[in-house]
Amino acid sequence: MRIHDDRPDEDGWAVSPNDSSRGDPLGVAPPRTGAATGLDYYDDEAYGDTGAGALRGDLEFHDEFPTVPEGTAWHRGLDLGLLLVRSVLGVVLVAHGARKLFGAFGGAGLDGTAEVLAAAGFRRTEVLAAVTGVTEFGAGILLVLGLFTPLAAAGVLGVTTGAVLLRAGDGFFLEQGGAEYPLLVAAVALGLLFTGPGRASVDNGSVWFRRPVLSGTVGLLLAAAVVTGVLVGLR
């Protein structure tokens, strides 16, 4: 039985006389096994001088479809982008934590932070102020390093979600005392929960690095539990 000429072109793609571009009517035929490595699946002498060729009977071949669609594979640009996001967010959080803990950069310190929390209706404000400051400061350092990233992002998400809920009644924009800033930080932290830190991190190769959806879900549930506990138990 005569087989039409769909021998591979120089790029390893099958070319058909019915399609002048790439081996099938849609132009998306995948490379044939061995075509790019020089294996010849065609017997050019099978039909004499016609040049039609026939498939060799002594070789087995099949179409290979890529497991990852072209253009969607992880690349170094994503690692660089995540490193930048983590670093900027981490530095901002370290500065905010230092304001709460040490009164640095003109901050209120623990006493001032406790007073703000008391005005918002919280109890045990000294402890809560310390926990909030330590969470921001510590999570910021961990994010810069890319270390225990799901735990750090969950801590940030918990603190900022509480701030969003408290400020929701004051409007949206920062100038009005609204939730604009904590909402933005919470969104970035939520994104990092599920993307992970990228390969430019201490976490690279860890269990939670290899299971970002699972670790992100656990972190999200942890953050939700902390926010609920603080708002219900301490307010």
Side-chain angles (χ1 to χ4, degrees):
M1 180 178 68
R2 182 160 175 159
I3 302 175
H4 70 271
D5 182 9
D6 59 346
R7 70 191 70 188
D9 66 2
E10 67 275 7
D11 296 323
W13 291 79
V15 177
S16 168
N18 297 324
D19 187 309
S20 61
S21 60
R22 300 250 183 211
D24 72 341
L26 297 178
V28 294
R32 300 285 178 113
T33 300
T37 61
L39 286 177
D40 186 7
Y41 291 114
Y42 295 85
D43 183 1
D44 292 331
E45 298 180 359
Y47 295 104
D49 296 332
T50 63
L55 291 176
R56 289 172 55 183
D58 59 331
L59 292 178
E60 178 182 356
F61 78 101
H62 60 277
D63 290 339
E64 285 188 346
F65 292 89
T67 57
V68 179
E70 183 179 358
T72 63
W74 195 273
H75 54 78
R76 285 176 292 181
L78 292 176
D79 293 320
L80 176 60
L82 288 171
L83 175 62
L84 291 173
V85 170
R86 283 182 10 240
S87 299
V88 172
L89 179 60
V91 169
V92 170
L93 288 168
V94 167
H96 273 263
R99 284 168 56 87
K100 291 181 173 68
L101 291 174
F102 315 118
F105 310 111
L110 286 175
D111 293 338
T113 303
E115 292 176 2
V116 172
L117 293 172
F122 286 98
R123 296 179 287 108
R124 305 196 63 177
T125 54
E126 294 83 2
V127 175
L128 189 56
V131 170
T132 302
V134 168
T135 299
E136 290 183 348
F137 192 84
I141 295 175
L142 292 177
L143 286 175
V144 171
L145 297 174
L147 176 63
F148 302 120
T149 305
L151 181 62
V156 175
L157 182 61
V159 170
T160 52
T161 298
V164 168
L165 295 176
L166 290 175
R167 297 186 183 187
D170 297 329
F172 176 75
F173 294 104
L174 186 62
E175 294 84 354
Q176 303 168 348
E180 180 182 16
Y181 166 73
L183 179 62
L184 178 61
V185 175
V188 175
L190 180 61
L192 287 174
L193 265 179
F194 289 98
T195 62
R199 292 175 294 185
S201 65
V202 179
D203 279 341
N204 189 2
S206 64
V207 174
W208 47 91
F209 179 89
R210 299 193 306 268
R211 300 289 186 271
V213 175
L214 177 60
S215 62
T217 302
V218 172
L220 180 60
L221 294 175
L222 177 62
V226 170
V227 171
T228 302
V230 170
L231 293 179
V232 173
L234 297 178
R235 192 166 186 262

